[in-house]
Amino acid sequence: MHSPSEQNYIPQLQVDCVIFGYQDGQLKVLIPKLDFKGDFWSLPGGFVYQDENLDEAAGRILEARTGIKDVYLDQFRVFGSTTRTSKGFLERLIELNAEKLGDRRFNRKEYDWFTRRFISIGFYALVDISQVRLQKIELDESIGWYSIKELPLMVMDHNEIVESALETLRLFLDQKVLAYHLLPEVFTMKEVQQLYEAIYDRGFAANNFPKKILEQNVLERLEKKFTGAANKAPYLYRLRRSE
Amino acid sequence: MHSPSEQNYIPQLQVDCVIFGYQDGQLKVLIPKLDFKGDFWSLPGGFVYQDENLDEAAGRILEARTGIKDVYLDQFRVFGSTTRTSKGFLERLIELNAEKLGDRRFNRKEYDWFTRRFISIGFYALVDISQVRLQKIELDESIGWYSIKELPLMVMDHNEIVESALETLRLFLDQKVLAYHLLPEVFTMKEVQQLYEAIYDRGFAANNFPKKILEQNVLERLEKKFTGAANKAPYLYRLRRSE
C-alpha cells in the first residue's frame, strides 16, 4: 500500500459525496460502513489527483460505489472547520484495529498525511436507485441506502454534511428542477407528490400540488391506453424531451 | 520575505473574495491592481493558515482592503479546474518585472509553491460602500470599485468567479434578503428598485415593485416629519429590527 502522499493527490483536500436516492416513499442516502472494528460509517469520499478536476474526482467516487455516471452531481459547500480534523477518529480506529491492521499499520509519513487537517468539498448526487448496482470497495464492510430519518452516526462532521446537502436539495428542488433525477423515467403525479413530501418532510395539499408541478412546464403527460384497466389508472408523466 | 510554504498555510488552497458594493446606481466590485508592470488585476485573495477557519481567512482578506468586518460574507463555489493554474500568469509577471523583483525574485522553493495548481474557494461579500475605507496592501498599485458592466480583464479565471458570484447574488437576493446589505441604513423604495435593476440588469415595473418588496415583510416605513418639504419627500424605509 503506497502512501497517498506518493500518489500525487492534492494534500489536505478531499471530496465527500452525499448520494441521494428515493425508495419506498423515503429519501435515502448511500452510506458505506468501514471494514474496521468499531462501527465507523463514513460518506463515500476520496482525494483529488493533481491532474484531475474536482467534478471528475466526485464522479469517480460516485461511480466506484454505484456503477453509474452521467447523473446529477454538483458541489454544494466546503467544510473546512479547523475542528473537523480526523486525528481523533483515526487514532481511535487504529487503536481498535491494531491487530487487524498488522503490516498495514500506517507508517509515520502516511499517518501524518492522513491526520492533518482536511478541507472537504461536499458534492451531492441525485440517482434513480433502480439504475444503481451497489459495489463495495476496499475498506467497505457493507454499503447501503439509509433513510434520511434514520442515518447512522457517521465519522467527523459527515452527518452535518448530509444536513447541508438536504438544505441545498430543498432550496433548488424547484429552481433547478431536481426531483425527476430521483424518479424512474415514467411516474404518476402522486409519486411526485410523495417524493416532495419525503424531501420536505411535510404534507402538500393534493388539490394544489399538480397545478404547482405542471406550472414548471417540464413534464409531458402520456396518453392512456384505452383498455378497461388503464382507463381507471392514473395518468403517467415523464420529463419532456428537449427539442 | 519568507516563502509562504514556511508560513504554515494550507498548500494549493486559496480564498478569493468578490466584494460587492452599490454606488451611483451601479453594482460594483472591489478590485485591486497589482503593483507590477503589465496591468494585472486580481480579486482580493489569499491563503488559509493551518489553524484558521475558511471564513476567518475570507474575513481577514476582506478587512485588510476595506477596514470593515461583520458584514455579509459567505462561500458560494469552489474553482478548481486543472487549467486555471497560475503558472503562465506568474511566469509572465516575473518576466516583465525581472528588474523590479531584484532580490525578491522567487527562489526555486517559493516558485514551486506558488506555481502549483491552486483550488480557490470563492466567497462573496456585500458591503455598504459608505462604510468602507479602502486600503492598499503590499503589492497593490491601486484599488477601486469597478462597475459590474466594466470590469477589467483579470488574471486567471477571476472574471468567471465574479460571474458566478453575481449568479449567486441574483439567486439568493430575495430568498436570503440580501439587498439591504448594499444600502445605507435608511433608503427610499425607489433606491431599492434601482438596486434590483442594477443587480438583475433589467427594469422592474414601478407599480408592482413596492408590493413585491413589502411582501418580504422585513422593512419598516419611517414616519415622515411633517414639514412642508418632507411632506412631498418619498417615504423612507429601513430594515425592521429583530425583537
Side-chain angles (χ1 to χ4, degrees), chain B residues 3-177:
Chain B
S3 160
S5 60
E6 294 160 13
Q7 288 187 8
N8 215 19
Y9 290 122
I10 297 177
Q12 298 190 253
L13 188 76
Q14 65 188 102
V15 163
D16 283 307
C17 293
V18 179
I19 304 171
F20 286 113
Y22 178 64
Q23 195 177 43
D24 303 330
Q26 296 185 308
L27 183 67
K28 296 190 172 178
V29 179
L30 185 63
I31 304 177
K33 185 179 184 191
L34 297 180
D35 186 21
F36 286 114
K37 277 188 207 162
D39 293 339
F40 296 103
W41 282 270
S42 175
L43 287 173
F47 307 120
V48 181
Y49 289 110
Q50 287 288 0
D51 60 357
E52 182 181 46
N53 284 315
L54 299 176
D55 33 15
E56 287 169 349
R60 173 172 56 76
I61 290 161
L62 171 75
E63 192 181 358
R65 253 60 172 251
T66 62
I68 55 175
K69 45 188 175 180
D70 300 325
V71 297
Y72 187 88
L73 177 64
D74 199 9
Q75 50 164 283
F76 65 95
R77 191 159 193 87
V78 184
F79 299 85
S81 159
T82 54
T83 56
R84 71 183 296 275
T85 167
S86 61
K87 207 158 207 128
F89 146 65
L90 203 72
E91 278 168 359
R92 196 168 131 244
L93 186 149
I94 290 173
E95 188 188 315
L96 282 168
N97 293 274
E99 196 178 343
K100 173 172 182 177
L101 284 167
D103 286 347
R104 286 173 56 191
R105 186 191 287 266
F106 302 108
N107 62 40
R108 190 72 230 167
K109 191 173 164 192
E110 195 166 13
Y111 181 81
D112 285 345
W113 198 91
F114 267 121
T115 58
R116 294 205 80 174
R117 173 184 178 191
F118 269 87
I119 308 296
S120 174
I121 304 176
F123 277 75
Y124 71 124
L126 306 176
V127 306
D128 169 2
I129 288 188
S130 70
Q131 301 296 311
V132 169
R133 284 169 295 114
L134 285 188
Q135 291 164 216
K136 290 194 287 181
I137 67 166
E138 198 197 350
L139 298 188
D140 288 351
E141 177 190 297
S142 62
I143 183 164
W145 292 101
Y146 292 81
S147 164
I148 192 84
K149 295 184 145 185
E150 290 170 350
L151 297 180
L153 184 62
M154 289 179 276
V155 302
M156 299 172 66
D157 54 1
H158 287 195
N159 289 74
E160 206 179 297
I161 292 177
V162 173
E163 265 312 301
S164 175
L166 177 59
E167 273 173 37
T168 305
L169 175 60
R170 288 173 176 170
L171 199 58
F172 291 140
L173 192 62
D174 285 324
Q175 224 159 3
K176 298 192 178 175
V177 195

Side-chain angles (χ1 to χ4, degrees), chain A residues 28-123:
Chain A
K28 295 189 172 179
V29 179
L30 186 63
I31 304 177
K33 185 179 184 192
L34 297 181
D35 187 21
F36 287 113
K37 277 188 208 162
D39 293 340
F40 295 104
W41 282 270
S42 174
L43 287 173
F47 308 120
V48 182
Y49 289 111
Q50 288 288 0
D51 61 356
E52 183 181 46
N53 284 316
L54 299 176
D55 35 13
E56 287 169 349
R60 171 172 57 76
I61 290 162
L62 172 75
E63 193 181 357
R65 255 58 172 253
T66 63
I68 54 175
K69 42 188 177 180
D70 300 325
V71 297
Y72 187 88
L73 177 65
D74 198 10
Q75 51 164 282
F76 64 94
R77 189 158 196 89
V78 185
F79 300 85
S81 159
T82 53
T83 56
R84 71 181 296 275
T85 165
S86 60
K87 208 158 208 130
F89 147 64
L90 203 72
E91 277 169 356
R92 197 168 130 242
L93 186 150
I94 290 172
E95 189 188 314
L96 281 168
N97 293 274
E99 197 179 341
K100 174 173 182 177
L101 284 166
D103 286 350
R104 286 172 55 192
R105 187 190 286 266
F106 302 108
N107 62 41
R108 190 72 228 168
K109 190 173 165 194
E110 195 167 13
Y111 181 81
D112 285 346
W113 198 91
F114 267 121
T115 57
R116 293 204 81 171
R117 174 183 178 193
F118 268 86
I119 308 295
S120 174
I121 305 176
F123 277 75

Side-chain angles (χ1 to χ4, degrees), chain A residues 165-214:
Chain A
L166 177 60
E167 273 173 38
T168 305
L169 175 60
R170 288 174 175 168
L171 199 59
F172 291 140
L173 193 63
D174 285 324
Q175 224 159 5
K176 297 192 177 174
V177 195
L178 297 181
Y180 310 103
H181 298 286
L182 293 163
L183 291 171
E185 201 192 335
V186 168
F187 41 82
T188 66
M189 187 55 71
K190 191 174 176 192
E191 285 169 331
V192 180
Q193 180 169 347
Q194 285 168 339
L195 170 60
Y196 265 69
E197 292 178 339
I199 290 172
Y200 287 104
D201 195 22
R202 68 173 181 89
F204 284 82
N207 55 338
N208 279 333
F209 189 81
K211 178 163 175 284
K212 164 187 150 70
I213 291 298
L214 294 173

